[in-house]
Amino acid sequence: MAARALASPRLSTLFKDVFKRHPEAVAAIACAILVLLGWQSLNFGWVGGGILILTVAYVIGGFDSARDGLTTLLQEKELDVDLLMIVAALGAASLGLWQQEYYLIVDGAVLILIFAISGALEGYAMQHTERSIQGLMSLTTDTARLLNHGQERTVPIVRLKVGDLILVKPGELVPTDGVVVDGASILNQASITGESVPVEKTIGDEVFAGTLNGHGVLRIKLHQPPESSLIQRVIRLVQQAQTEAPPSQQFIERFERGYAKVIVITGILLGILPPFLLGWTWEETIYRALIFLVVASPCALMASIMPTLLSGIANGARRGILFKNGAQLEQIGRVRAIAFDKTGTLTTGHLQVVNMLAAQPDSNQLLQVAAALESLSEHPIGDAIVQAARQQNLTWATATNAQAQAGQGLTANLEGQRAVVGKAVFVRTQVKTISPHWLEQSQQWESEGKTVVWVAQAGELLGLIAVADIVRPAAAQAVARLKQLGIEHVVMLTGDNPRTASSIAEQVGVDQVYAELLPEDKVEVIRKLQQQYQSVAMVGDGINDAPALAQATVGIAMGAAGSDVALETADIVLMGDRLERLEHAIHLGRRAQSIVKQNIVFALSFVVILLILNFAGNITLPFGVLGHEGSTVLVTLSGLRLLINR
C-alpha cells in the first residue's frame, strides 16, 4: 500500500512534467486516442457516447488551430489553413449530425488530428534558437578580475569600460576582448577562430572573450566595450540569421492563406447563389456546399508533404544523418554550393606527428629526446610528440631543470647533457653548425602547412619532427563525390593561416579557400555565395561556425566532434563525423523534392476532379469523403517510398 501511495504522486509529477515540456505532443496523442475510442463507440452503436468522445477530441486537438486561425483572422484580417481546417471539420460534423451519417464526425476529427500532429512537430523545430543562444552564453563569464591601483577585485562584466585593466589567471576563460599589456601565455581559441593549434599571446596581442588561457598570467586592457566583444557578436549573428524566415517559408505561408481564402469564399458563394442562379433547392445547395468543404479540405495536400519528409528523416536516421526538421530535407536537395570548415571537419582536429628526419639512421633517439622534454609541457604539439613515442613503445629518461621560453621552445638537462626542442631560430642558438639541407627540409614542411619542431642535444642537431592536423581519410573522396552529384562550387573556410589552408585544400580538392577568417567573416562569405548560388550549405563543428551555420540555407554539423552550439544551430547533423554521409543526405533531399512535387500534383488534381463532379451534381457525400480520404491515403503511401534505401 505504501509503495502505491508513493508511486501515485510520482506518476502525477511525471505527467505534469511531460505535459509542461511537450504540451502540443500530449494534445495530439490525446486527440488520437479519443478519435479511436469515438470511432469504436459509433461502430458498437453507442452513438451518444461516441459523439461526446469525438466532441472532446475536437476541442483538445483543434483548440490551438482554432485559436491561431481566429487570431490571424481578427488581428491580421487574413484567412489561413488552420481556420479552414476548423470550418471543414465542423462542417463535416454538422452534416453528419444532420444526415445521421456519424462517420462524417470521425472524418472531421481525423482532419483535426492531422493538424495537431503537424503543430507539435513545428513546436519542436522552433526551440532550436533559444538552446543555441544558451549554449553560446555558456562560453562567457559573468565576472572579471579588475585591477585598480594594484588591487584586484571581482566585478560584473557589464561594469567594465574601455581602458580598464583586468587579470586573467591560468586555466581561466578570457572574460572580454582586450589587448595584452603584460605577461605571455598560450590561448586555446579554437572555439572562436577555429585555429587548430593554440596561439601564443604576448604584449600587444589581441585576445578574445571565451578563449581559454593556458599556464601564463595575463594583464589585459579593454580597447572596446564588453558588448562589442567577438563572442557577443557571434550571439547576435546567430539570433539574426535564425529569425530571418527563408523565401520558401514565406511562399508556403502565402500559398496556405491564399488557398484558404479561395476555398472559404467559394464555399460561402456555393451555399448562397445556386438557388438563385441554378434553381437548386436549399437542401441541395447546403448539401453541395458541405461536400465542397470536405473535398476541398487541404488534408491530402498537407499529407503530400509531411509523410514524405518524415520518411526521409527516418531514412537518414538509419544512415547516421539527423535532420532537425523536414524543411531542411527539401533544402539540402537544392544546394548548389557547399562551404566546409577546416579544423575538425575536413581535418581530424587533432595534431599528429606526420614526418621525422633524424641525423642518425635510427630515429628512436630523436623521438625519445623530444618526448622527454615535451612531456614536461602541456602544449598540444608536445602532446602529439609524446603520443607518437608511446605508440612506438619507446621509453625515455626524466628531464630536469627545464626552462621554457614563451613562443620559442624548451631546454632541460637530460642524462647530464643539455637538450633543446622548439623553433628553428631558438634551437639554432644551441647548435654548433647546421647544414642548409635541414633548413630546406624545414621550409618545405612549413610550406605544406606543418609545424616543424627542431631537436638537439649536447650542441648537436638530432633532427626535425613535423606535426600537423591531418586530413580526414574520407574528405577527398567526399568532396569528389559531391562534385559528381553536380555541386557547382566547394569552398573551405578557416581561421588558420593561408599556407596551412592551401595545403589542406590541395589534398582535399576544394575549389576555393578563404583563410584567416573570424566568425563574422565566415557569415559574409556565406552571404556572397548565396547571392551567386542561392542555396548554400555550410559544414562545421565549432562555436566559431555557429553564425555561418545559421546563415547558410542548410547548416550541417559534425556530430561526434561538434560543439553543443554547432549541433543546436545546425539543421542537419552527421553523426559519427562521417563526411561521406553528406552525399546520401543530398540524394535523399532530391528524392524528397521529387516525391513531394508528385504528391502535390496528384492531390490538387484529385481535388479538382472531385470539385468538378460536385458542381455537376454527380457525387454523393459518402463518395466525396471516400475520394478525399482515399487521395490522402494514396499520397501518404507515396511519401513512405522514401523509407526505401536507394
Side-chain angles (χ1 to χ4, degrees), residues 267-299:
I268 293 174
L269 294 176
L270 187 58
I272 297 175
L273 297 180
F276 303 102
L277 300 180
L278 303 176
W280 291 5
T281 64
W282 283 107
E283 182 179 356
E284 176 74 6
T285 298
I286 295 174
Y287 187 71
R288 294 298 167 192
L290 292 175
I291 293 176
F292 173 82
L293 287 177
V294 172
V295 301
S297 170
C299 187

Side-chain angles (χ1 to χ4, degrees), residues 28 44 65 97 140 152 155 177 207 223 252 278 329 332 385 432 490 498 503 510 522 540 544 601 631:
F44 286 117
S65 294
L97 291 172
T140 62
E152 173 189 332
V155 300
D177 290 7
V207 295
H223 64 301
I252 290 173
L278 303 176
L329 177 60
I332 190 67
I385 292 175
K432 299 174 183 177
V490 180
S503 174
V510 299
K522 292 185 178 182
N544 60 298
V601 171
S631 63

Side-chain angles (χ1 to χ4, degrees), residues 320-602:
I321 306 167
L322 175 61
F323 293 95
K324 292 194 173 181
N325 57 68
Q328 298 309 324
L329 177 60
E330 286 189 305
Q331 290 285 11
I332 190 67
R334 300 189 182 101
V335 166
R336 297 172 55 196
I338 297 180
F340 286 94
D341 170 55
K342 180 184 75 68
T343 305
T345 303
L346 292 176
T347 67
T348 62
H350 302 288
L351 296 178
Q352 298 183 35
V353 173
V354 292
N355 297 105
M356 287 194 300
L357 179 62
Q360 302 297 328
D362 184 6
S363 61
N364 286 347
Q365 183 187 5
L366 168 64
L367 198 52
Q368 286 173 314
V369 172
L373 272 66
E374 293 290 5
S375 63
L376 303 176
S377 168
E378 295 186 5
H379 196 287
I381 293 177
D383 291 340
I385 292 175
V386 171
Q387 186 62 31
R390 287 174 177 166
Q391 289 174 353
Q392 297 187 24
N393 297 318
L394 298 179
T395 59
W396 52 85
T398 301
T400 59
N401 297 327
Q403 295 181 353
Q405 185 167 335
Q408 298 299 319
L410 177 70
T411 61
N413 290 333
L414 185 64
E415 297 180 326
Q417 297 176 322
R418 199 64 175 168
V420 58
V421 296
K423 294 183 177 180
V425 176
F426 179 67
V427 175
R428 286 172 64 183
T429 61
Q430 311 289 326
V431 177
K432 299 174 183 177
T433 58
I434 292 181
S435 169
H437 166 70
W438 296 103
L439 295 173
E440 292 174 1
Q441 183 61 69
S442 177
Q443 292 171 358
Q444 179 181 340
W445 284 344
E446 289 176 348
S447 67
E448 297 171 358
K450 303 170 185 176
T451 300
V452 180
V453 178
W454 290 59
V455 184
Q457 186 178 23
E460 298 292 338
L461 184 66
L462 298 183
L464 311 177
I465 300 176
V467 177
D469 181 13
I470 65 173
V471 174
R472 290 184 183 274
Q477 182 180 7
V479 171
R481 295 298 296 269
L482 291 174
K483 292 181 178 180
Q484 292 175 6
L485 279 177
I487 301 299
E488 300 176 32
H489 198 54
V490 180
V491 304
M492 184 176 77
L493 313 180
T494 180
D496 264 349
N497 60 77
R499 186 172 56 189
T500 301
S502 298
S503 174
I504 298 297
E506 185 177 350
Q507 297 177 57
V508 174
V510 299
D511 300 319
Q512 193 171 1
V513 179
Y514 296 88
E516 296 183 332
L517 301 180
L518 292 174
E520 54 195 2
D521 299 325
K522 292 185 178 182
V523 173
E524 187 60 33
V525 172
I526 295 296
R527 285 175 177 160
K528 290 181 179 178
L529 290 173
Q530 287 174 324
Q531 292 176 0
Q532 184 174 0
Y533 298 100
Q534 287 76 53
S535 188
V536 177
M538 169 70 190
V539 188
D541 73 311
I543 300 298
N544 60 298
D545 300 321
L549 289 171
Q551 175 63 39
T553 312
V554 182
I556 304 169
M558 303 293 284
S563 69
D564 290 340
V565 175
L567 298 183
E568 293 294 346
T569 305
D571 306 299
I572 301 172
V573 179
L574 302 181
M575 306 306 295
D577 290 356
R578 300 285 296 277
L579 273 178
E580 58 270 27
R581 290 173 178 161
L582 185 55
E583 176 192 359
H584 182 71
I586 294 175
H587 180 65
L588 204 58
R590 291 178 178 177
R591 284 184 60 201
Q593 280 188 69
S594 177
I595 293 175
V596 166
K597 289 177 182 177
Q598 295 170 16
N599 289 348
I600 290 175
V601 171
F602 175 81

Side-chain angles (χ1 to χ4, degrees), residues 115-174:
F115 272 77
I117 294 173
S118 298
L121 293 175
E122 291 176 5
Y124 286 120
M126 293 300 294
Q127 296 175 4
H128 294 318
T129 298
E130 183 62 27
R131 292 202 303 268
S132 297
I133 301 306
Q134 290 175 353
L136 284 171
M137 293 300 293
S138 67
L139 286 176
T140 62
T141 60
D142 296 327
T143 60
R145 301 177 188 273
L146 177 65
L147 295 175
N148 189 9
H149 301 295
Q151 299 296 318
E152 173 189 332
R153 61 189 178 95
T154 302
V155 300
I157 294 291
V158 294
R159 292 179 55 186
L160 295 176
K161 57 184 182 297
V162 176
D164 280 348
L165 191 65
I166 60 176
L167 179 70
V168 181
K169 295 184 178 181
E172 292 184 341
L173 286 173
V174 176

Side-chain angles (χ1 to χ4, degrees), residues 147 165-168 179-183 217-221:
L147 295 175
L165 191 65
I166 60 176
L167 179 70
V168 181
V179 177
V180 178
V181 295
D182 183 48
V217 176
L218 297 176
R219 287 175 173 79
I220 300 170
K221 186 176 183 179

